[in-house]
Amino acid sequence: MSFDTLQKKIWDLANPTVAGLDPRPEHVPPAILEKHLAAKGNTLAAAADAFYEFNCGLIDAFCDLVPAVKPQSAYYELLGWEGVRCLKQTADYAKAKGLYVIADVKRNDIGTTATAYSEAYLGTVTVGGTALAPFDFDAATVNAYLGSDGIVPFVETCVKYDKGIFALVKTSNKSSGELQDMTVSDGRTVYACVGELLEKFSGDTVSPLGYSCVGAVVGATYPAQLTELREKLSHTFFLVPGYGAQGGGAADVAGAFDEKGGGAVINSSRAIMCAWKQTGNGGADYQQAARDEVLRMRDALRSAVKGL
């Protein structure tokens, strides 16, 4: 199963870090950006080419240290179709380097539209009798707040193609509590209800390592809720955003892991991508800076999480 693959990579490296690849032009070292602007002018195509070179350089720098990367689709869509091309190329490059690729797309709808989203990111589309994989990500993030009508089509695609999804449960943003912390008639929070619902209808997909194909997005910025949900959702793999630039630290995410040090992957994006901005070398050392930040994060997590 897909999350078993991810977990084995985490154990092999003793590192549950997922590196977020969320580039903007200002995140790219000037020499890389200027090279592509010189070649194609001040165009979206030039920016997309710069993003791709930057991403490949980052992947080369830490592919032997991290099990996974997580490109956020919005930063690529910002560049139009050229950016979406870059997203696909980045995913392919990462997979060729042995990394597990999580597409942070947070898509969803119901019925056939949900099926189309799931097939686009995780499955195939048949063209002239040939099944073609548009993106072929290993996993994708989805919005769980449409209920089972929006999740079941993704589960079906996951089972068919051995993929995974991470559904939004308790998100890292400050205003998440405006809705997610509300209580229902029996006193449970909305986020707890969503988590329990996800585990309930994905129960027959539990893998040999004990994880269903439906994971949960639970933010590092809410460590108490993270620990609470880990205790309740024994078969759910967690994707934990909010580490680093958003304020979460190693101690905050320790509650995401089970007693074996498994069941979670911790995302850091800007702290890794933009580490070069802290060295004073103008980006010439962006690869080493990113690698050093990954090592710092890995060591902090190893110190905080039993079993790593």
Side-chain angles (χ1 to χ4, degrees):
M1 296 294 289
S2 184
F3 289 146
D4 282 12
T5 299
L6 175 57
Q7 183 60 70
K8 289 174 183 177
K9 289 178 181 290
I10 291 170
W11 282 335
D12 286 346
L13 297 169
N15 186 7
T17 298
V18 55
L21 298 176
D22 307 347
R24 294 182 64 95
E26 60 267 27
H27 296 161
V28 180
I32 295 176
L33 184 61
E34 289 165 6
K35 178 179 73 173
H36 291 285
L37 294 179
K40 292 188 176 180
N42 295 344
T43 63
L44 297 173
D49 289 348
F51 281 13
Y52 182 59
E53 180 177 341
F54 181 45
N55 287 345
C56 290
L58 290 170
I59 290 167
D60 288 345
F62 52 58
C63 63
D64 61 326
L65 299 175
V66 304
V69 292
K70 182 178 72 65
Q72 163 54 260
S73 180
Y75 295 95
Y76 300 89
E77 294 174 37
L78 190 64
L79 302 182
W81 71 267
E82 296 277 14
V84 176
R85 171 181 55 81
C86 175
L87 172 61
K88 169 61 174 170
Q89 291 174 325
T90 295
D92 288 348
Y93 189 81
K95 292 184 79 169
K97 289 290 185 175
L99 295 169
Y100 186 96
V101 181
I102 303 167
D104 196 350
V105 292
K106 296 185 179 70
R107 298 296 202 272
N108 213 340
D109 211 300
I110 62 172
T112 56
T113 308
T115 298
Y117 276 133
S118 69
E119 290 173 343
Y121 296 118
L122 304 172
T124 64
V125 59
T126 301
V127 179
T130 301
L132 305 170
F135 287 101
D136 198 27
F137 297 120
D138 295 304
T141 59
V142 302
N143 188 338
Y145 282 82
L146 289 169
S148 58
D149 288 337
I151 297 296
V152 169
F154 280 88
V155 172
E156 293 171 348
T157 298
C158 287
V159 170
K160 184 176 181 180
Y161 296 98
D162 192 19
K163 301 298 179 75
I165 57 172
F166 289 101
L168 303 183
V169 175
K170 176 57 181 170
T171 56
S172 61
N173 57 301
K174 291 181 179 180
S175 64
S176 67
E178 292 173 0
L179 295 175
Q180 296 167 18
D181 291 358
M182 294 179 69
T183 57
V184 297
S185 58
D186 62 2
R188 291 180 300 159
T189 58
V190 169
Y191 69 78
C193 292
V194 172
E196 291 166 12
L197 178 65
L198 294 172
E199 185 146 298
K200 179 180 179 180
F201 65 65
S202 63
D204 60 355
T205 72
V206 173
S207 68
L209 289 184
Y211 307 114
S212 79
C213 69
V214 180
V217 177
V218 186
T221 46
Y222 298 102
Q225 290 88 339
L226 189 55
T227 300
E228 170 201 346
L229 287 167
R230 176 75 286 158
E231 293 173 352
K232 291 180 177 179
L233 308 178
S234 60
H235 296 301
T236 301
F237 206 99
F238 286 3
L239 169 62
V240 184
Y243 188 100
Q246 292 188 54
D252 298 314
V253 304
F257 296 87
D258 59 31
E259 66 279 0
K260 297 179 181 179
V265 65
I266 314 300
N267 179 77
S268 178
S269 300
R270 281 171 289 167
I272 295 173
M273 285 192 313
C274 299
W276 64 268
K277 294 189 176 185
Q278 308 302 317
T279 67
N281 294 315
D285 58 348
Y286 80 96
Q287 289 178 293
Q288 187 61 52
R291 184 177 179 87
D292 289 345
E293 179 59 29
V294 166
L295 288 168
R296 279 192 290 271
M297 181 175 173
R298 182 200 66 183
D299 293 345
L301 290 171
R302 284 180 177 177
S303 296
V305 180
K306 294 180 180 179
L308 280 180

